[in-house]
Amino acid sequence: MMKNENHIKTFYKKDMGWRLFGLALAIQILFIGANYLVMMS
């Protein structure tokens, strides 16, 4: 029972990490896109 609870906790932490990674990636893409638009105009 305790082992299973710990497994869920680590899985949740991993999921949070991936969500943070995705968010950072999205922000970077938006930033690069904005810079590209500024350079083009």
Side-chain angles (χ1 to χ4, degrees):
M1 195 73 186
M2 201 68 188
K3 200 177 185 183
N4 193 34
E5 196 178 287
N6 198 36
H7 177 72
I8 289 162
K9 230 172 247 181
T10 49
F11 183 76
Y12 180 73
K13 265 184 192 167
K14 198 188 263 182
D15 194 49
M16 271 298 270
W18 274 109
R19 223 169 273 163
L20 247 142
F21 177 73
L23 191 72
L25 203 71
I27 289 164
Q28 279 187 339
I29 288 162
L30 280 167
F31 191 71
I32 289 161
N35 276 346
Y36 181 74
L37 283 169
V38 168
M39 291 288 267
M40 287 300 279
S41 60

